[in-house]
Structure formats: structure tokens, C-alpha cells
Amino acid sequence: MDIYEISKPSNSIEQCNVFEGKWIPDEIYPWYNASQCPFAGSGFNCMANGRGDRGYTKWRWKPRNCEIPRFSAREILEKLRGKRVVFAGDSLSRTQWESLICMLMIGVDDKRSVYEVNGKKITKQKTFGCTPGSVPRRSPKRVKSTLRLDQLDDISREWIDSDDLIFNSGHWWTPTKLFEM
């Protein structure tokens, strides 16, 4: 289990296990309205898709023995200034990226200044992130191909100069996603 150092407002550092805690109500949430954020996928906009209650938006994570500093879009934007952050993974990574962009936009005065670097609409890029391989000997007949998880495909070159890489693939390795050999 990872232990993270969290700065307290007094600038002292304490050990904080962010994985032990509970969800608590917090009226300051949500940080953004998905209907007003052009980067939020329409399929994940619960309110626009008819969810009537709003209570699910009013919760935050509270670690057991410490406080996590409140989110500040302007502070995060300053820390990320000039840096390249890459999200690599599946649809879960995609929605996390969309949510982060929507949260950061609240710290930007001119929302039109948030756009894709190449001047076109930000799009999904479908890749496997690993190298196709041959079927191992003595594999069941239903196995038609494999993926080499120890070798990334050419798309990984796009991650090389990132300052921060958020990589997610955990959802695909749960027992219900794997088959028995």
C-alpha cells in the first residue's frame, strides 16, 4: 500500500494513507456542471441524461488520519504550467481525463482558451498500448491471439516526453474479465 505525503496548510508534512478513510457529505461539490463542459462525454452526463437526484454529487473522500487539501483549479494549473500530462488507458481513463479538464476549466477566466493543441476537436485515440504476439504452444483452441504486455506498441512513443503519465488498465485484469486456461 502506498503512503503519500500531504502538505498541511501550515507547510508541515505528515504521512497520509489516502486509501484508508470514508466518503463524507460535502455541500461544496460538485466542482463543475457536466452540461456546461464541452469535454464531458454526453454518455456520462447523469443530470442531462435524466437523473433527478443530486445527492450523489455532494460527497468527498476523507482519509482516516489526515486532511486532503481542497482542490484549487488555479493552483493545479500553475503547478502544471508548461508540463505535459498524458492519460493512457481505457474508457475509465478517458472519463477521468474529461473530469480533470472540466475541473481545471473552473480556474480559467476565458473558457474559449481551452482547446486541443493542434486546433482541432479533442478526440479519442484507440490503441492497444501493447504488442500483438503469436499464440503460445499448447494454448486452448479458442485463443486466437495474444498481447505482449512486456512490450509497448508504437503509440507509446507519444508518452515518452510526458511530465506526468497516468496509466490505467486495472479494470481489464479482474477475474471476471479473464478466462481460465
Side-chain angles (χ1 to χ4, degrees), residues 37-43 94 97-98 101 112 114-125:
C37 180
F39 301 104
S42 60
R94 174 70 183 183
W97 177 85
E98 290 171 351
I101 295 299
R112 295 171 298 168
V114 180
Y115 59 91
E116 203 271 336
V117 172
N118 296 321
K120 53 188 177 220
K121 185 178 179 186
I122 297 173
T123 59
K124 297 178 186 177
Q125 189 171 13

Side-chain angles (χ1 to χ4, degrees), residues 53-169:
D53 66 311
R54 302 287 188 260
Y56 69 97
T57 67
K58 302 285 185 184
W59 292 85
R60 74 174 171 92
W61 181 250
K62 165 70 175 90
R64 183 178 304 150
N65 296 319
C66 58
E67 289 291 329
I68 297 174
R70 283 256 181 225
F71 175 80
S72 167
R74 290 189 188 263
E75 188 175 325
I76 300 289
L77 286 166
E78 275 303 315
K79 289 182 180 192
L80 293 176
R81 183 184 298 276
K83 295 190 176 180
R84 183 168 180 250
V85 179
V86 174
F87 281 75
D90 55 17
S91 61
L92 181 60
S93 291
R94 174 70 183 183
T95 55
Q96 289 172 339
W97 177 85
E98 290 171 351
S99 183
L100 178 63
I101 295 299
C102 293
M103 290 171 66
L104 292 175
M105 280 184 72
I106 65 173
V108 177
D109 293 328
D110 182 5
K111 309 296 187 237
R112 295 171 298 168
S113 68
V114 180
Y115 59 91
E116 203 271 336
V117 172
N118 296 321
K120 53 188 177 220
K121 185 178 179 186
I122 297 173
T123 59
K124 297 178 186 177
Q125 189 171 13
K126 294 182 181 182
T127 65
F128 288 107
C130 44
T131 304
S134 59
V135 178
R137 288 184 304 156
R138 291 184 238 133
S139 294
K141 289 183 183 188
R142 68 181 176 266
V143 176
K144 304 295 182 206
S145 65
T146 61
L147 293 175
R148 297 263 333 246
L149 300 178
D150 59 339
Q151 292 181 337
L152 296 174
D153 62 12
D154 291 343
I155 192 67
S156 65
R157 289 188 199 123
E158 295 188 22
W159 310 341
I160 287 176
D161 64 348
S162 64
D163 295 291
D164 295 289
L165 173 63
I166 296 103
F167 186 83
N168 163 38
S169 70

Side-chain angles (χ1 to χ4, degrees), residues 16-17 63:
C16 180
N17 183 344

Side-chain angles (χ1 to χ4, degrees), residues 7-20:
S7 294
K8 284 185 163 182
S10 65
N11 292 330
S12 68
I13 302 289
E14 78 172 54
Q15 295 282 318
C16 180
N17 183 344
V18 297
F19 299 104
E20 291 182 15

